[in-house]
Amino acid sequence: MKMSSKLILLIFSSLFFLGKVSAGENTKIESLKTPPLLDGRVDEIYKSGVLFNSFVQLEPNIFAQPSVKTEIYFLYDKENIYIAGNLYQPRMSIKTNNGRKDSPIILDGDAIGIVIDPLNNGNSAYFFAINPSNSAVDGTLNANGNWDFKWDAIFNSVAKIEDDYWSFEIQLPLSSISFQDKEEQDWGILIRREYSPNKEIILNNIVDKNQPFRISDFVKIKSLKGLRKENQLFVTPYSFYSFKNNFIGSQKTDKIKFGGEIKYNPVSSMTLIATINPDYAQIETDKLIINVDDVPASYPEKRPFFTESSDLYPGLAVNTRNIEDIDVGIKLRDVRDNLKYDLTWILDRKQNKWYMGDFRITDNETYYVDLIGGVKNQPTRTDYNFTTNLRTWLFDKRLTAYTWFGTINKQNAKNEYESVNSVRWVTREFTFAYWNHFKTQFYNPNITGHNTLSNQILHHAWIIYSFFDENSLFRVITPKFKYEYNTLYTDPKYFYSNLIFSLETTMYLNEYFGNWNLSLSYIPTSKKLFRHRTIQSQTQEKTFEDAFSKFVLVEQNRAVCQIILNTDFSKTVGLKFNYNNFERRKSAVDNLVLDTYWRFSPTTNVTYSLENIRLYGSEYQTRFFQTLHRIKFEHNLTDKINLRAIVQLNNVEIPDNNGLEQNNPVINFTASYEYMKGSYIYFVFNKEKLSWFDNSTASTVKINNQSIALKLNCVFNM
């Protein structure tokens, strides 16, 4: 009787899975002869592919069964990957936002993400995500589990919302990614679903709770055959027109520019990019950063020519934002089983030649080594930065050892260098880390790298422990203890240390209010030393020097704290609040940042930002008050037509400098239309005014500019 029951069960199981492959096995599928119709629905043709229908929670209750059902299918032909799925939930519970590609609001709600490792080496992966509005995000995932949203690809997607589920289809051309140069190959795949009502993160596979996004643990799809890149050559020309009106000098200027980009894939793993007279009018203007630090502010890179290899330039060595007007640029990128490298050459408008490169060698299991360099060849001199970076993993990658050595040239002087060493033990509940950083007296790689404070030795150590309880108000409670020791490289006896106590928690109120994250930090009173650079009036006998200037050390002893609170960004209304009173040069400080948003509908979003810093002054710090208001309005008619308006008001008061008051309003409006995949029309309007008032002069307007720009680009596949 038992044998009969087993036989009947086996027959029914075989009938059920006929024409369909379970993702729990080492799956093999055949290449399609006829591609599916891309309409956002899961057609019968997908039933012949790999089915993923076994999922578990990552958050809030790891390894628990999800609250909702998910079915994802994988297919391929010789030139494309096809992924489709049904994601079950009531229509009324779906939270979705239209947004321009890679907009942060896209993943604030329900979404599905597909992460693939086409090289099957566990070292790096691509991810593609869409939401129920068919708004898309893409990027890369590295071996350390870090997501990078700067990389871009051209792929097609469609999404549909039904009564009790939403569905999607993604068509990924193989010409958009690098993969193995083999006739038959295996790929890794991970599926990540965001379910907003319960703030669940749902995965198709969790092998190690400490590293759930470890690429080497992805489910394997076996024996993909005959893959090739249909389009090996992409040409993207553009035309650009701008008009600028300076009302102060009654000066009007206009210009027309032409340029473009050529991308060539000689083999499946290699990409060669050439750019001529590029223009980046589609990039949103940088948000003004309030900075009262010794080190100049660094802005993130957003230009596509550079973000293509953003994963290969960690640390301080290379800062592509130092490269401004480009005449010609050439980039070679190759990603293989044990080697990744990027070589970039640029000629800028001032006839400077820039050379950048990174070679990364790895066994994909226990180590990787980076060799990174940046060179600026100017008519009068040559500057360079070179660094090496070694990372090793032990104890199933829970223990990471890291070392970094960098060197720069300094004109008419010896080379300067930095050294970084770190050991970290990281699990889901417990983290222990030690980190030290040595920087010689004049080490500052800002010519081809980033600005940094030099003449410094740092020793930091910290312990973190997390308590999880998915059924209580406090889902996660994380206390953190950190010790910092700081001194000068040239004079180690001038040191100070401090302790930092932190507490972070995630609170789940209910489905309507969602998650609230709270972070509290406190640094008790202790001796701290800061660098004061106006030394002419100082009586200290000892002066020091770094890459910026000479300075004296001044002691300050104030206790400080920080409060950060942010709400669930999948809801209709939310906020992020950040307050600290970190002391600046013996001056009391109030530093407040507030971001609030209101989503009128899936197509319309308004964000208001307030940044207010008040330095009350000391004998080492002039009184300084700055307030920034920024209103950003986004209306996305479709996932292809996007409107954005920004109004930014910046007010600065320096009472001790003749009562100086400066106002700097900026208005920006951008309209974009993606009329074909990767092809855009942009319209940009900018208006900027600058005025100031002091006690000795009347109010004077020095800047009053407005400009318009129109850009058209088109991608041709050859």
Side-chain angles (χ1 to χ4, degrees), residues 39 42 51 86-87 161 171 188 197 214 240 247 252 258 311 381 394 486 494 528 603 647:
D39 60 2
V42 180
L51 169 64
N86 293 323
L87 299 100
I161 299 178
Q171 178 198 36
R214 182 187 294 176
F240 174 83
F247 289 96
K252 299 180 180 180
F258 299 94
D311 60 317
R381 59 170 296 181
L394 302 166
N486 305 271
Y494 294 93
K528 304 179 186 69
T603 62
V647 178

Side-chain angles (χ1 to χ4, degrees), residues 75 89 112 200 230 358 372 455 461 538 597 643:
L75 287 173
Q89 66 183 103
I112 185 72
E200 289 181 25
E230 176 187 14
D358 184 356
I372 310 169
N455 194 3
Q538 301 304 311
Y597 72 87
L643 307 176

Side-chain angles (χ1 to χ4, degrees), residues 178-306:
S178 298
F179 54 93
Q180 303 160 66
D181 190 14
K182 297 178 181 177
E183 177 58 29
E184 184 173 329
Q185 50 193 283
D186 304 338
W187 286 19
I189 186 168
L190 177 76
I191 299 168
R192 170 177 172 152
R193 179 180 179 182
E194 304 273 354
Y195 177 59
S196 67
N198 295 346
K199 289 305 295 178
E200 289 181 25
I201 297 177
I202 303 168
L203 303 181
N204 69 309
N205 188 48
I206 301 178
V207 174
D208 184 350
K209 69 176 183 177
N210 299 303
Q211 298 188 59
F213 299 111
R214 182 187 294 176
I215 300 170
S216 58
D217 290 337
F218 285 10
V219 171
K220 303 300 180 185
I221 298 179
K222 296 281 189 176
S223 301
L224 303 178
K225 297 178 181 178
L227 302 182
R228 63 183 178 87
K229 294 192 175 185
E230 176 187 14
N231 300 308
Q232 291 184 305
L233 181 64
F234 297 83
V235 180
T236 309
Y238 82 87
S239 59
F240 174 83
Y241 170 77
S242 67
F243 173 82
K244 187 174 183 178
N245 188 2
N246 183 347
F247 289 96
I248 301 300
S250 299
Q251 297 175 339
K252 299 180 180 180
T253 58
D254 63 347
K255 65 178 178 180
I256 299 177
K257 292 172 60 178
F258 299 94
E261 183 177 280
I262 300 172
K263 181 182 290 188
Y264 176 58
N265 299 306
V267 295
S268 59
S269 64
M270 184 180 293
T271 303
L272 180 65
I273 303 173
T275 185
I276 302 172
N277 195 27
D279 177 83
Y280 303 107
Q282 76 271 28
I283 300 300
E284 181 180 326
T285 54
D286 289 312
K287 185 176 180 180
L288 184 63
I289 295 177
I290 298 174
N291 182 25
V292 292
D293 205 344
D294 280 343
V295 180
S298 291
Y299 290 89
E301 181 60 84
K302 303 176 184 179
R303 298 173 291 179
F305 179 76
F306 296 110

Side-chain angles (χ1 to χ4, degrees), residues 62-100:
I62 192 167
F63 295 123
Q65 288 299 304
S67 305
V68 286
K69 181 181 176 183
T70 305
E71 295 176 341
I72 308 295
Y73 294 87
F74 180 97
L75 287 173
Y76 79 101
D77 60 27
K78 295 183 185 305
E79 298 162 355
N80 298 280
I81 299 300
Y82 303 94
I83 302 170
N86 293 323
L87 299 100
Y88 293 90
Q89 66 183 103
R91 177 190 286 264
M92 294 300 295
S93 72
I94 295 174
K95 300 294 183 183
T96 183
N97 305 291
N98 273 343
R100 182 179 162 191

Side-chain angles (χ1 to χ4, degrees), residues 330 412 434 567 609:
I330 300 174
N412 302 322
Y434 167 74
T567 63
S609 300

Side-chain angles (χ1 to χ4, degrees), residues 570-585:
S570 69
K571 308 307 176 185
T572 303
V573 179
L575 64 86
K576 183 174 182 178
F577 172 85
N578 186 334
Y579 169 81
N580 71 68
N581 64 344
F582 295 159
E583 194 171 11
R584 300 285 199 282
R585 304 181 186 96

